[in-house]
Amino acid sequence: AILLRDMTDRQHLDRMRADFVANASHELRTPLASITGYIETLQGPARTDEAARGRFLGRMLEQAHRMRRLIDDLLSLSRVEMNVHRTPSGVVDLSEIARYGCEMMTSASKAEECEIRVDAPAAAPVVGDRDELLQVVQNLIENALKYGRSNKGIDITVGVDAARRRVSLSVRDYGRGIAEEHLPRLTERFYRVSEQESRSRGGTGLGLAIVKHILLRHGADLDIESRMGHGATFTIAMPAAGELTAAAE
Ligand code: ADP
């Protein structure tokens, strides 16, 4: 029976891998087809059309940037996946990461006219990889800015539960929220509530898949809570590390 289960697990994995390659190829092929189309038009019908040339070059650049983002995200995902069984060993401060991540997103939040507030204790020590946890925070803030826009801003809260020795970090927006049926699937690769919206906001559909894999490696949980019309809250929770100071309690 165990052997049988191993086989089905293997087949399932093979299947997922094949699907992933097909999806990734499709995602790359779309902007490539569009760039090729513009080149053909510029070589043919629009050969002498100055105005069209400027416009088309702009669109080609947009599509090239989209391919670039996809490749960057695919590489990030593969890097994280390769490390998934290697548990991190350094102690880092989730409060500092929350503040720093927020700072890194300042210009994006200014562009969206969206205020980001951080409420974090003096220190929230966890065992982790700083760069990866920073990427998690950034991805969550980026999504809140992209999909959770409202005039109420974004709240980032770090909490330390000294009794249970857990540290949590949540990113909350007050946008239109996510319908319940989507919640369990959001961290799947290339899953989007609206492909059109994700695309127009520069999304690749890989952000939350990267987040999930980083958290897996950290032994951390991801909880997504949302109601239509009431925004969304993404909360990560993981074991606390080292001495928790009184101030953190
Ligand atoms: P993308 O590159 O499309 O942003 P993600 O994996 O980061 O990919 O997110 C997957 C999908 O989850 C998004 O396309 C969007 O539909 C939905 N989503 C993520 N964060 C939020 C949020 N804060 N509010 C509403 N929808 C969200």
Side-chain angles (χ1 to χ4, degrees):
I2 288 170
L3 190 67
L4 194 68
R5 207 195 52 220
D6 276 357
M7 279 302 286
T8 45
D9 274 359
R10 261 267 286 292
Q11 280 168 357
H12 180 67
L13 270 179
D14 285 347
R15 180 66 210 270
M16 278 189 21
R17 209 162 284 143
D19 281 354
F20 175 58
V21 172
N23 282 335
S25 308
H26 172 76
E27 295 285 338
L28 283 166
R29 190 183 273 153
T30 314
L32 184 60
S34 140
I35 291 173
T36 311
Y38 286 125
I39 293 174
E40 281 166 0
T41 312
L42 286 171
Q43 283 179 329
R47 207 172 29 232
T48 55
D49 187 340
E50 282 288 330
R53 188 199 302 160
R55 206 168 60 238
F56 288 175
L57 282 173
R59 293 189 192 156
M60 287 163 73
L61 189 62
E62 248 170 54
Q63 297 300 318
H65 282 151
R66 185 170 147 209
M67 294 181 78
R68 175 64 199 255
R69 280 194 302 274
L70 257 162
I71 291 167
D72 284 347
D73 278 359
L74 284 168
L75 287 174
S76 277
L77 188 59
S78 120
R79 235 189 344 261
V80 178
E81 264 190 329
M82 257 177 337
N83 283 329
V84 95
H85 296 296
R86 256 188 274 156
T87 320
S89 55
V91 173
V92 295
D93 178 3
L94 215 50
S95 284
E96 185 272 329
I97 290 173
R99 288 189 205 101
Y100 194 82
C102 175
E103 235 171 78
M104 287 177 71
M105 298 304 291
T106 305
S107 70
S109 72
K110 286 226 172 85
E112 299 285 347
E113 295 183 2
C114 185
E115 186 196 359
I116 309 180
R117 295 169 293 264
V118 183
D119 179 9
V126 295
V127 173
D129 178 306
R130 185 171 181 278
D131 286 344
E132 287 191 355
L133 291 174
L134 200 53
Q135 188 170 9
V136 167
V137 172
Q138 263 184 289
N139 281 2
L140 294 179
I141 297 176
E142 222 170 76
N143 279 348
L145 288 171
K146 280 196 293 197
Y147 308 109
R149 265 172 310 163
S150 76
N151 52 14
K152 292 201 196 129
I154 296 170
D155 279 305
I156 301 175
T157 311
V158 179
V160 177
D161 181 340
R164 293 174 53 220
R165 299 198 53 78
R166 301 279 288 174
V167 173
S168 65
L169 180 154
S170 66
V171 177
R172 173 168 192 197
D173 69 61
Y174 302 88
R176 94 177 101 75
I178 307 161
E180 200 177 344
E181 69 263 28
H182 298 295
L183 296 180
R185 301 198 57 191
L186 286 187
T187 58
E188 284 174 27
R189 295 151 189 209
F190 298 120
Y191 188 86
R192 299 142 163 136
V193 173
S194 153
E195 185 156 342
Q196 178 63 40
E197 185 186 24
S198 160
R199 190 152 293 165
S200 71
R201 309 283 293 160
T204 59
L206 292 174
L208 289 177
I210 294 171
V211 164
K212 184 180 91 176
H213 276 88
I214 291 176
L215 295 181
L216 208 60
R217 175 170 182 241
H218 283 77
D221 301 324
L222 174 67
D223 179 59
I224 310 174
E225 228 185 283
S226 183
R227 255 190 325 135
M228 286 309 281
H230 294 269
T233 307
F234 289 72
T235 305
I236 69 176
M238 55 199 290
E243 286 294 305
L244 296 178
T245 62
E249 283 176 27

